[in-house]
Amino acid sequence: MNTMNTYVALIADASGRYCHVYGVAEDWSDYVDQLEELGCEVVEDQTDDYDIQDLGTIDDELGVIPITKLVMYTDFIPLIPCLK
């Protein structure tokens, strides 16, 4: 059985705006893959800077939002993958 963990990432969108987002994955590399598939530029792992138990209850106070909220309810601009 695989354990899911909560991670916080500092990400940027195509306009260069930064945001802290959180989500769940088996490990950090899986979470990075999820974020990159959504068009995020992953800057760094910020998980150790937050109390994971507070995420989802006081997001606005913490300045961290779930990735679904970023994609669905903000003006986030996804990166367009380079074509080779």
Side-chain angles (χ1 to χ4, degrees), residues 4-9 21-24 45-59 62 64:
M4 299 301 277
N5 299 298
T6 301
Y7 295 97
V8 178
V21 296
Y22 70 91
V24 295
D45 183 352
Q46 298 275 301
T47 305
D48 292 339
D49 295 341
Y50 292 91
D51 184 355
I52 298 302
Q53 287 76 14
D54 290 338
L55 297 175
T57 57
I58 57 171
D59 300 340
L62 294 174
V64 181

Side-chain angles (χ1 to χ4, degrees), residues 13-32:
D13 72 0
S15 71
R17 291 176 295 184
Y18 290 87
C19 181
H20 287 94
V21 296
Y22 70 91
V24 295
E26 288 182 28
D27 57 35
W28 172 249
S29 64
D30 287 340
Y31 188 51
V32 170

